[in-house]
Amino acid sequence: MANKKHENGSYSKSITLSHEMIKTRVKFFHNLSFRTHYQEYLLNAYNVRCQIQLLETQEIYLTLSGEKLNVKTACQTIPNLFELTHEKIYDDENVDQQMIYCSQQIKSDLIIPVIQQIMDNHNIFTLWEKTAMFYGHFKVTYLTHESFKVSEARITEILNKEISYIENMAMPEEKTRNLLKSIDEFIFSRQNPELVIIRCKYPYKLDIKISLFGRKKLVRKTKKQLQSIVYKHTIKTFQLKMTANQYEYLLENCIHELKDIENEYKDDCVKIRIRLKEFSAPQYLIDNIKQKIRELMIQIVTCQFHKIGNSITLTDDNNKQLNRIARHNYCRIEKLETKTEMKVYSIPKALSPSVNISNSIMLQSNEFVSALSMRKMSVLNGSIEIYLTNQSDSIPRDVTIISSPAGAAEERIEYMSDNGYFEMKTGRKFLFHRWSPVVSDDDRTNQKLKKSIEKFISSTLQSVTTCYSNLEKIVYLTNEWENIGAQQQQQQQLLASSIINEVKQEIETRKVDWRILFIFNEQQTNFYKEFCDVLVKMQTDKDGFAQFSSPVSVIQITLAASSNLNLIKCENEITDYVQKHILANKTLSNEFDVRKWDQHMINAFYKYSLNQSVLPNMDLTNNSQIQLVGSMSNVEKTIEKYKLMSEIFKQKSTLQIPPPVAARTSTRSKPIDLKAYNIYFSFCQQDQTLCNRINNCLKGEGYVLYETPTNVSRFQSYIDKSDVILIAFDEEYLENSHSISELNYTKSARKKIIPFVIRNNTKENSWLSSLTIAESFYDLFDTEIDIEFKDDFDLEYDKLLTKLLRYTKPGTTGKTYAETTALPKITKSNDDYEEAAFGHRSIALQKVTPEQRRESETAYQEKLAKKIENEKIPNDEINSSVADLTVVIEYLEEIVREGVTYSKPHSEEHDTYSIGPRGWELDENLISCMQQFSNSIRRWLNKSPNVIRGNIIPFTPTGDINDAIFLIHQSPNDPSFAQNYVPLDHSPSDKYFSLFNSNPGSCFNSEQSHDYFQKLVESVKIIKDIEARMIDNTIKSKTDKPDDNNNNNSNEKNIADGFRTPEEMRKIEQLDNPNRIWKKTKFTEFIELKIKNILEFKELCEKWK
């Protein structure tokens, strides 16, 4: 105890209260509310201020200050205060049942602080403890001093009303690891001084017991929260609803996937019993497991279709048809969306040098290359690209790097003077980095410039990677970079080379898949060309010859079905519908001719395709494939263009064509008089613009032409000196007397005429004009219109050139070639034959992959070899057959060659093998049959001695004989087998029924067959009624009734007895006599028609006797 007197007259005294002085009552001071209340008590009762300090030795250090007398009086009352206490033990079984139960059942000491805290929060100053450690009764100590007096009734009231105990909350029988983990996390997060959560865990067991003790409100709230967690993790069994097909599909194909689901949720004890069509899982996972199993039952596939252009518009009818196809195949369309994205495509490098290429092709190629506004160089899996455009915002990018105010103005944003980042509300991201490439006079080695470029590229790329993640496309705006120095062109070359090399090094060092894009505007054309030259020199074969960028619209259709077979059918039918009505995706395989094309031809073909909004993809390395994507009509035109270019190339490759003549603008100067011309070109002056273009193109091919002269009197000699007469026909040609004179003289001179039509769509009533031209064209030239210059000059010109090359060759005049009848050989794959045979390949064939086809072919060849080995005809029989068949072939050849009778020794058993004089004429049909028979024998001889007695089943990829390809051998020398006809359309007429649009090639269903039969019966019934009435009204000739004997022996007549007697023939002729007398009948018109037919038939017979 220490005393101290202050200068202001106040007095202070310090007292240390130890456990020996006030025993356990020292714990009262651990209660903040008690300390505050005690300080207020001393101040109010004795006007003494008190400072209380808790020492680490569990002692209480009090400092009292005030007047000396008051301080001494207060110090004397402190021991008395703590002596006035009372203790109560809750062990009365009649009154304290609840507290006795809690003390006996709860073995945790954590409940004592909870009771203490609840009493403290009610300002009830008490001390709580247990009489024994585990099973002792609760004991409370409280003050009885008047200032701190605590009512025992108040304590009992709080214990009964404010405190609650819940023992062993209900837990599920099967407890999961995630349940225990969730409970532990909940207990850790719900710590409260007025609540204790008592948990009891068992080692090596997934078991737990939870009890709650504390303030009643907190206990109730915590109980509900724990019950929610327990309910969430309670395992329940759920029945799966599925069809028989879905059940079988899961059992046969998804066992491993179902096991993966169980492993994914093993901490939740998920069990899938698919054979019982049920699964067990915690409540919160039931929907997830159902969804995963449903995804296995419901197969999903996405169909994508591409088209060049900014958008693809699907009409309401398109949407209805697509949904109808999906429903018809028991599928549904999960998602149908269209989007547009900018893509870069490569033009392949040619594998052959330029040979015999016309000026028109070279001109188209140069125009196409000069119009390209981008270049690309591949670096690892990334690329460096340059673009020349005034619409930089049309190029998609992840971030844009701006180095000058002009670049910010081009992007229509405010320029930031300081380096930094900026992101717009639309999501566009920018990096501002001030930089301009300037060359100083003292930098002769350009080291400063190179270091400046290196620092600029590395710092900007590092900045964007630090600020943004998952970058793919990074754009540099090059505005003001071209203003580099006095020697501008030389410095621009250095700048372009340094920048591209630095970016290439960054991509290779970082090993990223970046696309670095440099954008130039139209004012930077020369600067762009410097970058372009550098890129072209650094390109590899992977980059191709050149590149082009184009907006590509994509239709993406997501299909869902419970059956994989239905999904395949639906996907194929939707693909078929889209390719027929919206987009087409054609692949030309094994087109080896294109490997012989030079770069100009490839460029010209790409130019034509892109002008037709068709996306070409040419693969010259592997299978020589050409893939074309676009609208059906445009794809067909592009395919026709490709075939025409190939045909022209084939015909010209065999010729020695003089060097092409440079294209010129045609004038009407006096033509040079030559001895011979390839072509005499006849056209009207009104069509001179188009005809001059055709004229220049043909001269560029190497042809010698003579145009329509102004001197009408001299054209005959030039027609005589020309091999082919080319006529540009239209309505004006009919009205031009000079043109008609040229045509008439050409016909009289029997010159080969190649006419084509020029259409003018600007005229009114163009449809009427088309009909007039078509009719007049057929009348004059006795053929249909096959070349028509209307809106596609390149395609029609190729048609014209192809036709001209058949009759006259460039560089050769005075000679006309006969048109060949042989069609070009088209190589088809097995898929092409199958699709041609079935109209639409069968579902089984559609499911066969190339690997499965190869495996099936290998197995087929092995079985075939074994079959030939086991069923091979003995050698002696083969030798005898070969000898006999050889004699037959020689005999047939001798007949065809000599046309005489033939006799030759045949074998030991037969002296001669002779044929007497023939009584029939050896015509062309008979010779053709002999040749076919001879060819069949030769095929058999070529296979010997590997021949068997039976037939060999052809190869089929699916094992179904209906999917096999049956080959028919046709003689190449027999014109009767030439395909000079339009293939017959075997599809049924719309008059009777129409096929389902979603299932092309399907057979009739029962309703369609019934409908067809009924209509057929109705159409035949009227004819039968007419015939019946005609028999009733005809004059019957008098005939003798056959006797009974003849009737009885009628079944015994042989074939010879079946010939009619002269009398019977006379009666039949009498029926056909036109002079006979008919009964009056209502079928007068029919009778007159019959008489007319009889007379015409007799006249025909007399004529051909």
Side-chain angles (χ1 to χ4, degrees):
M1 184 178 293
N3 301 326
K4 186 177 181 181
K5 187 174 181 180
H6 300 279
E7 295 179 356
N8 56 6
S10 62
Y11 177 79
S12 63
K13 189 174 183 178
S14 300
I15 303 174
T16 302
L17 301 178
S18 63
H19 187 271
E20 290 76 9
M21 294 177 60
I22 58 177
K23 298 182 180 181
T24 60
R25 296 168 185 82
V26 73
K27 295 180 180 180
F28 278 110
F29 286 96
H30 291 270
N31 187 347
L32 178 60
S33 298
F34 175 79
R35 294 197 299 270
T36 303
H37 189 79
Y38 183 67
Q39 289 172 337
E40 293 176 353
Y41 163 71
L42 292 179
L43 183 62
N44 295 329
Y46 301 103
N47 196 21
V48 172
R49 291 182 297 276
C50 177
Q51 294 182 356
I52 304 173
Q53 184 177 2
L54 304 179
L55 302 178
E56 295 180 357
T57 59
Q58 302 298 320
E59 295 178 333
I60 308 300
Y61 187 77
L62 303 179
T63 301
L64 305 179
S65 60
E67 293 183 1
K68 185 175 182 179
L69 180 62
N70 295 339
V71 170
K72 289 183 177 181
T73 305
C75 289
Q76 293 175 358
T77 60
I78 292 176
N80 298 331
L81 173 66
F82 292 101
E83 288 178 356
L84 300 175
T85 59
H86 182 73
E87 294 181 350
K88 174 176 173 56
I89 299 175
Y90 291 89
D91 56 358
D92 189 347
E93 295 180 355
N94 296 325
V95 179
D96 306 321
Q97 295 90 343
Q98 180 180 354
M99 298 305 293
I100 293 174
Y101 180 79
C102 291
S103 63
Q104 296 298 320
Q105 297 298 324
I106 304 176
K107 302 177 179 59
S108 174
D109 292 335
L110 296 176
I111 63 174
I112 297 298
V114 172
I115 299 175
Q116 185 72 56
Q117 184 66 38
I118 294 174
M119 294 297 175
D120 291 346
N121 290 342
H122 283 281
N123 292 325
I124 305 297
F125 305 121
T126 58
L127 294 176
W128 290 85
E129 56 186 345
K130 265 190 171 186
T131 56
M133 182 174 293
F134 294 109
Y135 298 101
H137 298 287
F138 290 113
K139 176 183 175 182
V140 61
T141 302
Y142 57 90
L143 299 172
T144 59
H145 190 274
E146 59 183 0
S147 297
F148 299 92
K149 186 175 182 180
V150 177
S151 170
E152 184 176 330
R154 177 62 178 157
I155 295 174
T156 303
E157 180 184 1
I158 293 174
L159 291 175
N160 293 333
K161 293 184 178 181
E162 298 294 331
I163 294 178
S164 176
Y165 171 61
I166 297 177
E167 182 182 9
N168 295 337
M169 288 184 58
M171 291 288 165
E173 294 182 1
E174 189 173 1
K175 304 170 185 66
T176 66
R177 287 187 177 88
N178 280 341
L179 170 62
L180 303 182
K181 181 180 179 181
S182 299
I183 291 177
D184 290 343
E185 292 174 351
F186 175 79
I187 292 174
F188 180 78
S189 63
R190 292 296 185 275
Q191 294 181 1
N192 193 296
E194 293 187 349
L195 174 69
V196 59
I197 303 175
I198 306 168
R199 60 181 175 179
C200 181
K201 284 188 174 182
Y202 300 89
Y204 310 109
K205 290 184 180 181
L206 290 176
D207 200 1
I208 190 173
K209 290 183 179 180
I210 301 291
S211 299
L212 304 177
F213 181 84
R215 187 180 289 275
K216 186 173 291 185
K217 290 183 179 180
L218 287 175
V219 168
R220 289 178 180 175
K221 182 179 179 181
T222 304
K223 177 184 177 182
K224 290 181 179 180
Q225 292 173 338
L226 279 172
Q227 285 177 339
S228 176
I229 294 175
V230 170
Y231 176 78
K232 175 182 175 182
H233 289 83
T234 299
I235 293 179
K236 293 186 178 182
T237 301
F238 185 85
Q239 295 295 324
L240 292 169
K241 296 180 180 179
M242 65 181 75
T243 63
N245 291 334
Q246 294 172 341
Y247 174 74
E248 292 178 2
Y249 177 79
L250 289 177
L251 279 180
E252 294 176 1
N253 303 286
C254 303
I255 295 299
H256 295 293
E257 288 79 0
L258 294 172
K259 198 67 178 177
D260 291 340
I261 296 175
E262 290 183 347
N263 293 332
E264 182 181 355
Y265 298 103
K266 61 182 179 180
D267 289 342
D268 290 289
C269 297
V270 173
K271 298 295 179 184
I272 302 176
R273 295 173 287 274
I274 201 62
R275 296 186 183 277
L276 300 177
K277 297 183 180 180
E278 66 180 20
F279 70 89
S280 57
Q283 186 68 31
Y284 80 102
L285 285 178
I286 285 180
D287 291 338
N288 291 343
I289 303 299
K290 283 169 58 180
Q291 181 63 27
K292 287 182 176 292
I293 297 176
R294 188 180 295 111
E295 289 175 358
L296 292 178
M297 291 190 297
I298 299 177
Q299 305 298 309
I300 293 178
V301 69
T302 300
C303 310
Q304 284 192 346
F305 307 95
H306 300 79
K307 177 182 179 296
I308 286 183
N310 291 321
S311 64
I312 299 177
T313 303
L314 293 179
T315 64
D316 292 340
D317 184 61
N318 293 146
N319 290 320
K320 289 180 182 179
Q321 290 295 330
L322 291 172
N323 283 282
R324 187 190 63 78
I325 293 173
R327 290 194 303 270
H328 178 74
N329 290 283
Y330 304 102
C331 301
R332 70 172 180 269
I333 296 179
E334 293 285 328
K335 186 188 297 183
L336 195 157
E337 58 183 354
T338 59
K339 59 182 179 180
T340 303
E341 53 190 17
M342 187 71 69
K343 286 192 174 183
V344 177
Y345 298 93
S346 296
I347 303 170
K349 284 185 178 180
L351 303 179
S352 302
S354 299
V355 178
N356 290 341
I357 301 302
S358 63
N359 278 332
S360 61
I361 293 294
M362 296 174 62
L363 180 61
Q364 295 175 43
S365 173
N366 294 333
E367 288 178 354
F368 176 65
V369 174
S370 62
L372 296 177
S373 59
M374 68 89 58
R375 286 283 182 172
K376 171 186 173 184
M377 180 185 74
S378 299
V379 182
L380 298 180
N381 292 327
S383 63
I384 301 174
E385 304 170 19
I386 59 175
Y387 291 83
L388 180 64
T389 177
N390 278 338
Q391 297 178 346
S392 62
D393 54 352
S394 64
I395 301 175
R397 79 286 300 270
D398 296 324
V399 62
T400 304
I401 299 174
I402 300 176
S403 60
S404 65
E410 186 169 324
E411 291 293 319
R412 296 185 289 277
I413 61 173
E414 185 178 353
Y415 180 74
M416 293 176 58
S417 58
D418 297 330
N419 296 343
Y421 306 97
F422 175 67
E423 183 171 355
M424 300 180 67
K425 294 181 179 180
T426 57
R428 298 174 64 191
K429 302 179 181 65
F430 298 93
L431 170 65
F432 292 91
H433 190 104
R434 183 72 177 180
W435 181 76
S436 60
V438 178
V439 179
S440 58
D441 296 335
D442 59 344
D443 188 17
R444 296 184 178 181
T445 60
N446 299 313
Q447 293 301 318
K448 292 183 179 179
L449 175 62
K450 293 180 180 178
K451 288 183 179 180
S452 174
I453 292 172
E454 180 181 352
K455 181 180 179 181
F456 170 66
I457 296 297
S458 61
S459 61
T460 52
L461 292 179
Q462 182 60 40
S463 297
V464 295
T465 53
T466 303
C467 186
Y468 305 111
S469 59
N470 300 324
L471 292 176
E472 181 184 356
K473 296 181 283 292
I474 302 173
V475 165
Y476 281 90
L477 297 183
T478 62
N479 302 79
E480 299 183 3
W481 287 9
E482 67 273 16
N483 304 323
I484 187 172
Q487 299 177 352
Q488 193 166 353
Q489 183 177 2
Q490 183 179 356
Q491 299 298 342
Q492 285 180 358
Q493 293 175 356
L494 175 63
L495 177 63
S497 177
S498 301
I499 288 179
I500 291 176
N501 282 305
E502 183 62 30
V503 172
K504 180 175 181 291
Q505 184 178 352
E506 285 286 335
I507 296 177
E508 291 174 343
T509 303
R510 297 173 183 266
K511 296 181 179 179
V512 291
D513 301 340
W514 285 343
R515 289 176 56 192
I516 307 297
L517 287 68
F518 294 91
I519 297 181
F520 304 81
N521 55 39
E522 297 293 343
Q523 289 73 31
Q524 298 175 292
T525 302
N526 294 331
F527 192 36
Y528 165 80
K529 290 180 180 179
E530 301 296 340
F531 271 78
C532 185
D533 293 339
V534 175
L535 272 186
V536 170
K537 294 178 182 178
M538 299 177 66
Q539 283 179 341
T540 62
D541 293 338
K542 180 180 178 181
D543 300 312
F545 169 75
Q547 303 79 34
F548 64 92
S549 63
S550 174
V552 177
S553 300
V554 182
I555 300 178
Q556 186 166 300
I557 303 174
T558 303
L559 299 173
S562 60
S563 170
N564 193 35
L565 181 60
N566 290 337
L567 199 62
I568 293 174
K569 290 172 61 180
C570 185
E571 181 183 4
N572 290 329
E573 292 185 18
I574 283 182
T575 301
D576 184 67
Y577 175 80
V578 171
Q579 291 186 358
K580 286 184 178 179
H581 299 87
I582 304 174
L583 293 175
N585 187 340
K586 295 286 187 180
T587 300
L588 307 178
S589 302
N590 300 324
E591 297 294 339
F592 297 107
D593 292 337
V594 77
R595 296 171 65 91
K596 301 177 183 178
W597 286 12
D598 75 327
Q599 195 63 56
H600 289 299
M601 291 189 68
I602 293 175
N603 295 344
F605 178 72
Y606 266 78
K607 177 179 181 294
Y608 181 84
S609 300
L610 295 176
N611 288 340
Q612 297 296 325
S613 297
V614 174
L615 178 62
N617 184 11
M618 196 177 283
D619 182 7
L620 304 180
T621 56
N622 297 324
N623 299 323
S624 298
Q625 290 185 345
I626 302 176
Q627 185 181 22
L628 302 172
V629 180
S631 65
M632 176 62 71
S633 59
N634 290 343
V635 167
E636 292 297 334
K637 290 175 68 174
T638 307
I639 293 175
E640 186 178 7
K641 172 72 173 177
Y642 162 73
K643 292 182 178 180
L644 290 170
M645 290 181 67
S646 297
E647 181 64 21
I648 293 171
F649 178 78
K650 286 180 183 178
Q651 294 194 38
K652 294 178 66 174
S653 61
T654 60
L655 303 175
Q656 296 295 328
I657 301 178
V661 179
R664 62 178 178 82
T665 303
S666 178
T667 61
R668 299 302 300 176
S669 60
K670 184 177 180 180
I672 301 176
D673 193 358
L674 301 177
K675 293 182 179 180
Y677 301 91
N678 290 110
I679 302 170
Y680 180 94
F681 197 179
S682 174
F683 58 88
C684 293
Q685 299 304 314
Q686 292 85 344
D687 302 323
Q688 185 170 356
T689 302
L690 177 62
C691 292
N692 284 343
R693 183 179 177 185
I694 297 173
N695 184 20
N696 294 334
C697 291
L698 291 176
K699 287 182 178 180
E701 303 290 345
Y703 279 116
V704 181
L705 281 83
Y706 189 87
E707 302 177 38
T708 299
T710 55
N711 187 357
V712 179
S713 61
R714 294 187 56 195
F715 70 85
Q716 292 88 348
S717 61
Y718 293 104
I719 291 178
D720 293 336
K721 291 189 290 184
S722 301
D723 300 331
V724 172
I725 311 303
L726 184 63
I727 296 178
F729 184 80
D730 59 3
E731 287 184 323
E732 286 75 13
Y733 194 93
L734 287 172
E735 299 172 358
N736 190 304
S737 59
H738 174 62
S739 299
I740 295 300
S741 299
E742 289 178 323
L743 176 60
N744 292 332
Y745 184 78
T746 300
K747 288 183 177 181
S748 64
R750 297 185 179 274
K751 289 288 185 177
K752 178 61 184 177
I753 300 175
I754 299 180
F756 64 87
V757 170
I758 297 178
R759 294 285 191 188
N760 188 357
N761 293 329
T762 60
K763 292 183 178 181
E764 296 182 359
N765 299 327
S766 58
W767 64 271
L768 183 59
S769 174
S770 299
L771 293 176
T772 304
I773 291 177
E775 185 177 356
S776 301
F777 189 93
Y778 188 83
D779 291 340
L780 288 176
F781 304 108
D782 196 24
T783 185
E784 300 289 346
I785 299 174
D786 56 352
I787 303 174
E788 185 175 8
F789 284 88
K790 185 177 181 181
D791 53 5
D792 193 342
F793 178 86
D794 293 336
L795 183 65
E796 299 303 322
Y797 172 76
D798 283 355
K799 290 181 183 179
L800 177 62
L801 181 59
T802 303
K803 197 166 185 179
L804 285 171
L805 286 171
R806 296 175 187 170
Y807 300 101
T808 181
K809 312 297 183 184
T812 303
T813 57
K815 182 179 180 181
T816 304
Y817 298 85
E819 183 178 9
T820 177
T821 57
L823 296 177
K825 184 178 179 181
I826 300 176
T827 303
K828 292 187 177 181
S829 63
N830 288 338
D831 290 348
D832 296 328
Y833 278 116
E834 289 157 1
E835 188 160 358
F838 299 109
H840 188 79
R841 288 196 298 157
S842 65
I843 297 300
L845 282 174
Q846 295 170 18
K847 294 172 64 177
V848 174
T849 62
E851 292 77 11
Q852 292 173 338
R853 179 184 289 273
R854 286 192 292 270
E855 292 177 1
S856 300
E857 283 193 61
T858 303
Y860 172 78
Q861 294 297 336
E862 293 176 356
K863 291 181 180 179
L864 182 60
K866 291 181 181 179
K867 183 178 180 66
I868 292 176
E869 182 179 357
N870 296 332
E871 302 181 14
K872 182 179 177 182
I873 300 176
N875 291 333
D876 55 347
E877 294 186 21
I878 290 180
N879 294 335
S880 176
S881 300
V882 169
D884 294 341
L885 292 174
T886 303
V887 172
V888 173
I889 289 177
E890 293 177 357
Y891 169 71
L892 292 175
E893 290 178 348
E894 185 70 19
I895 291 179
V896 173
R897 184 172 59 253
E898 302 292 341
V900 298
T901 59
Y902 181 72
S903 179
K904 184 176 180 178
H906 179 58
S907 65
E908 296 179 357
E909 299 178 0
H910 303 86
D911 294 336
T912 59
Y913 179 79
S914 61
I915 296 294
R918 296 185 303 269
W920 31 262
E921 184 179 354
L922 192 63
D923 56 8
E924 293 182 0
N925 291 333
L926 188 56
I927 293 175
S928 176
C929 292
M930 289 181 178
Q931 289 176 342
Q932 293 302 316
F933 181 59
S934 178
N935 290 337
S936 65
I937 296 176
R938 285 192 178 90
R939 286 194 296 271
W940 189 92
L941 292 175
N942 291 334
K943 295 178 182 178
S944 63
N946 295 323
V947 291
I948 61 176
R949 298 186 186 278
N951 293 325
I952 297 176
I953 300 176
F955 168 71
T956 167
T958 62
D960 187 352
I961 193 63
N962 294 314
D963 292 332
I965 301 172
F966 293 87
L967 299 180
I968 299 176
H969 295 280
Q970 297 179 356
S971 173
N973 301 321
D974 190 350
S976 62
F977 287 103
Q979 187 176 347
N980 55 3
Y981 55 87
V982 178
L984 178 62
D985 184 8
H986 295 278
S987 60
S989 172
D990 293 337
K991 176 181 177 182
Y992 300 110
F993 57 86
S994 60
L995 292 173
F996 288 119
N997 293 332
S998 63
N999 191 8
S1002 64
C1003 299
F1004 306 159
N1005 59 25
S1006 59
E1007 293 181 1
Q1008 293 170 339
S1009 302
H1010 179 72
D1011 182 44
Y1012 174 79
F1013 178 73
Q1014 289 296 326
K1015 292 184 177 180
L1016 181 62
V1017 170
E1018 292 174 1
S1019 63
V1020 177
K1021 184 177 180 182
I1022 300 175
I1023 299 175
K1024 289 186 176 180
D1025 290 343
I1026 294 174
E1027 291 177 350
R1029 295 177 185 178
M1030 286 176 57
I1031 293 173
D1032 293 338
N1033 289 279
T1034 53
I1035 300 175
K1036 297 182 179 179
S1037 61
K1038 297 181 180 180
T1039 57
D1040 297 332
K1041 292 184 179 181
D1043 55 16
D1044 295 338
N1045 294 332
N1046 291 337
N1047 287 335
N1048 293 334
N1049 297 328
S1050 60
N1051 294 330
E1052 299 178 1
K1053 290 184 177 181
N1054 54 25
I1055 297 176
D1057 297 332
F1059 293 108
R1060 300 185 185 275
T1061 63
E1063 181 65 21
E1064 290 175 339
M1065 292 300 298
R1066 186 186 62 77
K1067 292 178 179 179
I1068 292 176
E1069 290 177 358
Q1070 183 180 357
L1071 291 176
D1072 291 337
N1073 185 4
N1075 298 321
R1076 61 178 290 193
I1077 300 175
W1078 296 78
K1079 284 185 178 181
K1080 291 183 179 180
T1081 176
K1082 60 182 179 181
F1083 298 106
T1084 305
E1085 294 182 1
F1086 175 78
I1087 294 172
E1088 292 177 354
L1089 181 60
K1090 179 175 177 62
I1091 294 172
K1092 181 181 178 182
N1093 291 339
I1094 293 172
L1095 295 175
E1096 290 179 354
F1097 181 72
K1098 286 190 175 184
E1099 181 181 355
L1100 183 64
C1101 292
E1102 291 294 333
K1103 181 179 179 181
W1104 292 99
K1105 276 187 179 181

